[in-house]
Amino acid sequence: IAGFIGFVGNESVAIFRIRVGRAMNSAALIADGYHARTDGLTSLAVVVGAVGVWLGFPLADPVIGMLITLAIFGIVWQSAKAVVTRGLDGVDPHLLDEIRHAASHVDGVGRVIEAKARWLGHELRAELKIAVDPTLTITEGEQIATSLRTELKDHIGPLRDATIELSSGAEHHAHEHVDATEAVAAGVFRV
């Protein structure tokens, strides 16, 4: 009975922590939720092992122990990978696909030349370089960038900011300290 109660309690905590962790974009809280899930499954596995021994299968206990060990290693690996990736500002590749997809919905965006994203705590920051019509004015470019930023925030919940570079699509070698006229002539404009 204690094993079943332990399983139900830990699974409830696991579901709660994982849900809140995903809502907050906290890799650590999600990992903690998986840890609670492992504890719950361990409680249930101990019950299964005890019942197996009670029914006359003495190997049930060590077999269950090995399965618990493998489950713990699997969850530790998965959690460590997620936490280390986040610690190194890594993002899931599907987030970059979502960024590209959101950009395809904005009028004036010819194509996404480059998309980058990284985590800063619980917030996602993106950097995009997009190809636009080279005859755009600075005001028109700013409007496209504003529309793109709004579209990105609507599609990607944890996104807090995006730096958008407009380019004519041609190769350029603009310097960091050029004025707006020189930037447009070079085919580059950062918003």
Side-chain angles (χ1 to χ4, degrees):
I1 292 173
F4 284 116
I5 292 171
F7 168 72
V8 170
N10 278 301
E11 184 60 20
S12 300
V13 169
I15 290 169
F16 176 74
R17 287 179 181 166
I18 292 168
R19 186 174 295 149
V20 171
R22 287 186 178 144
M24 292 176 47
N25 297 303
S26 171
L29 191 54
I30 293 169
D32 196 37
Y34 283 119
H35 177 204
R37 178 166 285 158
T38 302
D39 288 346
L41 292 173
T42 299
S43 296
L44 194 58
V46 167
V47 170
V48 171
V51 168
V53 170
W54 182 64
L55 291 175
F57 300 104
L59 288 178
D61 187 45
V63 168
I64 292 296
M66 289 300 294
L67 292 175
I68 291 169
T69 301
L70 291 174
I72 290 170
F73 279 137
I75 290 172
V76 166
W77 173 255
Q78 186 179 35
S79 296
K81 189 170 123 183
V83 170
V84 168
T85 298
R86 180 72 64 92
L88 296 174
D89 292 338
V91 296
D92 291 330
H94 82 276
L95 276 175
L96 295 177
D97 292 338
E98 285 184 41
I99 289 170
R100 291 177 185 279
H101 177 74
S104 71
H105 291 285
V106 176
D107 290 335
V109 175
R111 68 183 170 91
V112 176
I113 298 169
E114 185 176 27
K116 299 177 186 176
R118 65 188 181 117
W119 288 101
L120 292 173
H122 300 296
E123 296 180 348
L124 188 66
R125 308 282 175 157
E127 295 179 18
L128 285 91
K129 181 177 179 181
I130 59 171
V132 296
D133 181 349
T135 62
L136 291 176
T137 66
I138 291 176
T139 303
E140 292 169 328
E142 286 177 341
Q143 289 170 346
I144 291 171
T146 299
S147 296
L148 177 54
R149 191 174 288 109
T150 301
E151 187 73 21
L152 288 168
K153 288 182 178 181
D154 289 346
H155 272 75
I156 303 166
L159 184 73
R160 292 299 165 251
D161 194 21
T163 301
I164 300 167
E165 180 179 320
L166 307 179
S167 174
S168 64
E171 288 298 317
H172 60 276
H173 300 286
H175 302 297
E176 286 185 24
H177 299 293
V178 295
D179 68 21
T181 306
E182 291 171 337
V184 171
V188 143
F189 186 66
R190 287 186 188 265
V191 183

